[in-house]
């Protein structure tokens, strides 16, 4: 039987997962999202146009391929509708090849309100959530209060919706959250709820499936499946920089629970890393650069959130964290993106260990605070040349290949490909 390949981010998100999924899609029959929701922003560029996807898998631009939103994903119907409308405007009809799990949970307008209420209550300790309702919706899933896609077809859906909404309103008021002043996209809760309800009609135009049977049937038919991760390793709820994480398992293990497949069906695990590192939102980030180089990475790399527009914090690549990510996920191939951003750098640094209270370690400590951790940096000579037009891995500058070889050596995982621009055409396989 064929195996499911997995593609996921190894840092704090935005590694270029969307682009690589789009490039690999021709090799697969099915592209499936298994966790996360509209907190994700996956950018794909081709023919001079940029597309950003939040809930829909990044295989959608290949209309002959099946795209599946798995049970582990959260769907916000109005954001889903906006995405569908955006695709339709670009001539992409997703109704034929997009399937939705009946077991995927819904994000209600009041989940988004609770996200804001929780962040407000945390004060200075806030996570810097995308405010898309992710934490509260997964909380309701685990607490067994959630509503699922399949429930939208039930006669008592509105009643159950009302019940959950009332609970959220009670909680928000108990937290002294100003419900009347709360806005989503400039709309009051009542106004947004109306739009949200109308958007259910768009969602219902898609085929709702028992996705665990659907995907296992695809496996039996020897279809090639790629599972597309969102967020990334260091935002995983168990193994990331807790509590500054998202609320799902972003790791390879999440594929099994987020799609309903057995661990033995997992094949290749492709881990995506930038040639440097970024983080958006709060939380520790040992290699962060608060200097001119950090600013340069942000500007040259256009490091602004695809979902929230917030500037991303930037710093050097952290191979200590990468080694950890390869271990937890069983990564079999590395994809390195965005080295082109550092084309003009004299020196490119790599964090190869952490100095904690004078002791060097290459493990991720339990107390993961930027204040405790001094990154040990290994310098590499910059390649000082444009990568534009290079079509072959072997033709990459020697100094860049030395840098890539060091990543391979220290992670024990081979680099399978390098991406050198946002465009679909620029991925060089080794
Ligand atoms: P994702 O969330 O992992 O899919 O990544 P995002 O789309 O949020 O962020 C990655 C950003 O980098 C997007 O703007 C991409 O267009 C861009 N990008 C991807 N690969 C490359 C690359 O190799 N070079 C450059 N310069 N930009 C890239
Ligand atoms: P993609 O798939 C980068 C971050 C948020 C915040 C934390 C929790 O595009 O790589 P949440 O809204 O999930 O409760 O926020 O996680 N975050 C991301 N950062 N890329 C993402 O997704 C992210 N999704 C969530 O900024 O710090
Ligand atoms: Mg992103």
């Amino acid at each position: 039987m064929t195996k499911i390949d997995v593609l996921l981010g190894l840092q704090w998100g935005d590694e270029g997962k969307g682009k690589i999924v789009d490039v690999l899609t021709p090799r697969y029959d099915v592209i499936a999202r298994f966790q996360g929701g509209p907190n994700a922003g996956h950018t794909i560029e081709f023919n001079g146009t940029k597309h950003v996807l939040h809930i829909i898998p990044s295989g959608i631009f290949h209309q002959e391929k099946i795209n599946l939103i798995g049970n582990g994903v959260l769907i916000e119907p109005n954001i889903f509708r906006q995405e569908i409308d955006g695709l339709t405007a670009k001539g992409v009809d997703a109704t034929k090849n997009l399937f939705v799990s009946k077991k995927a949970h819904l994000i209600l307008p009041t989940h988004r309100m609770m996200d804001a209420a929780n962040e407000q209550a945390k004060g200075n300790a806030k996570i810097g959530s995308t405010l898309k309702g992710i934490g509260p919706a997964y909380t309701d899933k685990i607490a067994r209060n959630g509503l699922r896609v399949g429930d939208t077809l039930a006669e008592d859906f509105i009643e159950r919706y009302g019940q959950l909404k009332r609970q959220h309103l009670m909680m928000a008021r108990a937290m002294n959250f100003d419900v009347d002043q709360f806005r989503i996209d400039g709309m009051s809760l009542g106004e947004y709820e109306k739009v949200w309800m109308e958007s259910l009609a768009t969602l219902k135009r898609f085929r709702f499936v028992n996705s665990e049977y659907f995907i296992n049937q695809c496996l039996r038919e020897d279809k090639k499946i790629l599972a597309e991760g969102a967020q990334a390793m260091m935002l995983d709820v168990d193994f990331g920089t807790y509590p500054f994480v998202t609320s799902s398992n972003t790791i390879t293990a999440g594929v099994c629970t987020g799609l309903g497949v057995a661990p033995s069906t997992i094949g290749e695990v492709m881990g995506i890393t930038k040639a440097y590192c970024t983080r958006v939102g709060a939380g520790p980030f040992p290699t962060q650069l608060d200097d001119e180089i950090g600013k340069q990475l942000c500007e040259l790399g256009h490091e602004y959130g695809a979902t929230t527009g917030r500037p991303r914090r930037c710093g050097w690549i952290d191979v200590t964290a990468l080694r950890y990510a390869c271990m937890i996920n069983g990564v079999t191939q590395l994809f390195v993106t965005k080295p082109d951003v550092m084309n003009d750098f004299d020196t490119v640094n790599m964090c190869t260990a952490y100095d904690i209270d004078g002791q060097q370690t290459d493990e991720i400590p339990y107390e993961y605070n930027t204040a405790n951790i001094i990154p040990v940096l290994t310098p590499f000579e910059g390649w000082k040349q444009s990568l534009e037009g290079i079509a072959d891995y072997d033709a990459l500058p020697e100094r860049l290949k030395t840098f890539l070889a060091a990543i391979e050596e220290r992670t024990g995982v081979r680099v399978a490909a390098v991406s050198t621009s946002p465009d679909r055409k620029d991925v060089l396989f080794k």
Side-chain angles (χ1 to χ4, degrees):
M1 198 165 77
T2 181
K3 301 258 182 187
I4 299 183
D5 291 343
V6 181
L7 184 148
L8 35 76
L10 301 180
Q11 299 170 311
W12 280 281
D14 306 325
E15 295 87 355
K17 298 177 288 294
K19 171 186 166 166
I20 304 296
V21 170
D22 170 62
V23 167
L24 294 177
T25 295
R27 302 179 180 190
Y28 291 91
D29 302 302
V30 181
I31 310 299
R33 275 278 304 269
F34 59 93
Q35 49 69 231
N39 46 351
H42 295 178
T43 314
I44 295 164
E45 279 191 46
F46 52 90
N47 300 337
T49 311
K50 180 170 154 174
H51 311 267
V52 181
L53 297 168
H54 301 287
I55 309 170
I56 296 169
S58 300
I60 201 68
F61 296 102
H62 298 261
Q63 294 201 273
E64 69 290 3
K65 307 292 181 178
I66 294 171
N67 284 261
L68 174 69
I69 298 178
N71 58 281
V73 177
L74 298 178
I75 298 184
E76 207 277 31
N78 189 42
I79 298 178
F80 179 81
R81 182 187 58 78
Q82 287 168 352
E83 251 184 280
I84 293 296
D85 289 351
L87 288 172
T88 309
K90 287 171 176 161
V92 179
D93 175 10
T95 50
K96 291 191 188 67
N97 62 336
L98 179 63
F99 295 77
V100 182
S101 172
K102 284 185 191 163
K103 291 193 171 80
H105 277 246
L106 295 173
I107 299 178
L108 273 51
T110 44
H111 280 132
R112 296 186 63 174
M113 176 190 71
M114 286 309 300
D115 209 354
N118 288 338
E119 286 284 65
Q120 181 183 290
K122 280 180 181 279
N124 284 342
K126 72 173 190 223
I127 310 291
S129 128
T130 60
L131 298 177
K132 304 296 180 197
I134 303 296
Y138 276 126
T139 301
D140 273 337
K141 172 178 175 173
I142 301 299
R144 298 157 295 179
N145 296 325
L147 287 172
R148 302 187 288 181
V149 164
D151 297 335
T152 61
L153 305 174
E155 272 179 18
D156 63 349
F157 175 70
I158 296 295
E159 210 177 299
R160 286 158 68 187
Y161 170 92
Q163 207 174 352
L164 190 51
K165 173 181 145 184
R166 279 191 295 280
Q167 255 186 43
H168 294 152
L169 288 171
M170 263 165 37
M171 289 194 291
R173 291 194 176 111
M175 292 166 80
N176 285 326
F177 185 77
D178 193 340
V179 173
D180 297 331
Q181 288 302 312
F182 176 66
R183 293 287 177 276
I184 305 176
D185 300 344
M187 286 177 257
S188 69
L189 201 55
E191 287 164 342
Y192 193 78
E193 181 178 71
K194 194 164 168 286
V195 176
W196 188 95
M197 287 289 176
E198 285 163 5
S199 300
L200 286 177
T202 302
L203 182 60
K204 286 180 185 169
R205 280 180 20 223
F206 289 82
R207 271 170 286 180
F208 295 173
V209 290
N210 290 321
S211 54
E212 59 282 21
Y213 281 104
F214 182 88
I215 200 114
N216 280 288
Q217 182 59 28
C218 289
L219 276 173
R220 274 194 297 277
E221 289 169 5
D222 259 348
K223 289 207 164 79
K224 293 200 159 33
I225 302 170
L226 178 64
E228 173 183 3
Q231 293 72 60
M233 166 69 221
M234 297 304 277
L235 291 170
D236 179 81
V237 67
D238 281 281
F239 299 105
T241 48
Y242 192 88
F244 298 98
V245 293
T246 190
S247 300
S248 63
N249 280 120
T250 58
I251 55 175
T252 304
V255 175
C256 297
T257 54
L259 290 176
V261 293
S264 56
T265 62
I266 303 296
E268 292 292 312
V269 179
M270 294 171 268
I272 319 295
T273 175
K274 282 178 191 167
Y276 51 98
C277 192
T278 64
R279 173 161 207 173
V280 62
F285 178 8
T287 61
Q288 181 172 348
L289 294 165
D290 291 316
D291 56 7
E292 268 314 302
I293 299 175
K295 270 192 216 144
Q296 268 182 324
L297 286 171
C298 184
E299 291 312 315
L300 298 169
H302 305 290
E303 295 295 355
Y304 295 90
T307 296
T308 58
R310 294 177 291 178
R312 296 173 182 148
R313 300 150 65 193
C314 297
W316 299 119
I317 191 169
D318 182 343
V319 175
T320 302
L322 273 187
R323 272 165 41 92
Y324 174 70
C326 290
M327 173 182 81
I328 298 283
N329 290 290
V331 175
T332 59
Q333 304 176 24
L334 289 171
F335 283 65
V336 180
T337 61
K338 305 188 90 164
D340 54 291
V341 170
M342 301 190 289
N343 282 348
D344 294 330
F345 284 26
D346 294 325
T347 303
V348 173
N349 282 317
M350 179 184 289
C351 168
T352 46
Y354 293 156
D355 182 326
I356 303 174
D357 301 329
Q359 298 271 327
Q360 280 201 15
T361 175
D362 55 8
E363 287 193 7
I364 298 290
Y366 177 74
E367 297 286 352
Y368 197 79
N369 305 318
T370 306
N372 296 350
I373 301 173
I374 302 168
V376 178
L377 298 178
T378 303
F380 289 79
E381 253 186 286
W383 39 95
K384 306 280 278 180
Q385 78 167 73
S386 166
L387 306 181
E388 214 179 302
I390 299 180
D392 194 33
Y393 189 97
D394 289 335
L396 285 170
E398 283 309 316
R399 287 196 287 260
L400 172 53
K401 284 197 271 187
T402 303
F403 176 74
L404 297 169
I407 298 175
E408 289 182 321
E409 190 190 324
R410 289 165 196 276
T411 56
V413 183
R414 76 183 177 96
V415 172
V418 175
S419 165
T420 58
S421 94
D423 197 276
R424 185 190 259 181
K425 68 179 172 17
D426 291 317
V427 177
L428 317 182
F429 287 88
K430 203 166 161 186

